[in-house]
Amino acid sequence: MIELPKIPDPRGNLTFIEGGRHVPFEIQRVFYLYDVPGGESRGGHALKTTEQFLIAVSGSFTVVVDSGGTRQRYFLNRSYFGLYLPPMIWREIEDFSSGAVCLVLASRPYDAGDYYQDYQEFLEASRKLQ
């Protein structure tokens, strides 16, 4: 978890993110998840080379991360905190609140070949790296 700058102001707070400064990579792609129906989950994959940074810009959700057998859960509900995900981390995003928006900053443009969509394939690849 990384705390982002928060500039308090009675008119409303401001948070900013600079690639290479607040996140440990230069930002190449930005996308967001929204209108996720109740009970649905997103993710369910790992990235081979891409780094990502997830922020709950509105509402809340839980990110389940797995480095190859060890699972941890992170509850994101503050727009000035984000979760850094290095390559080779399996991620699942679940328990979206109504109106939640998950902002994702990525170190690389989209590449379908960069994904492990099968958990067993990911586990085999992660064991080879150890």
Side-chain angles (χ1 to χ4, degrees):
M1 293 287 287
I2 297 174
E3 186 171 3
L4 300 168
K6 180 180 174 186
I7 312 300
D9 188 298
R11 302 167 296 164
N13 299 327
L14 180 139
T15 292
F16 61 95
I17 303 166
E18 296 174 355
R21 181 173 176 199
H22 301 112
V23 295
F25 56 84
E26 292 300 322
I27 300 164
Q28 295 289 314
R29 181 168 60 117
V30 176
F31 63 95
Y32 47 97
L33 306 170
Y34 60 98
D35 292 342
V36 178
E40 289 296 322
S41 62
R42 297 296 308 244
H45 61 262
L47 295 164
K48 298 173 185 176
T49 60
T50 302
E51 300 168 83
Q52 290 186 333
F53 190 73
L54 281 62
I55 305 162
V57 293
S58 181
S60 65
F61 49 85
T62 300
V63 183
V64 181
V65 298
D66 183 331
S67 60
T70 304
R71 288 184 164 247
Q72 289 184 278
R73 301 174 70 82
Y74 295 91
F75 181 67
L76 297 178
N77 68 342
R78 298 279 185 250
S79 58
Y80 55 91
F81 277 98
L83 181 63
Y84 170 67
L85 297 174
M88 295 302 294
I89 297 292
W90 188 267
R91 81 281 319 272
E92 299 166 10
I93 310 170
E94 57 190 28
D95 300 327
F96 283 83
S97 68
S98 178
V101 178
C102 173
L103 176 68
V104 182
L105 310 177
S107 65
R108 297 172 47 96
Y110 175 76
D111 174 4
D114 195 38
Y115 285 72
Y116 285 108
Q117 301 282 1
D118 179 85
Y119 183 68
Q120 291 304 317
E121 185 182 345
F122 159 72
L123 285 178
E124 290 172 21
S126 67
R127 287 185 189 120
K128 290 178 185 175
L129 294 174
Q130 295 174 359

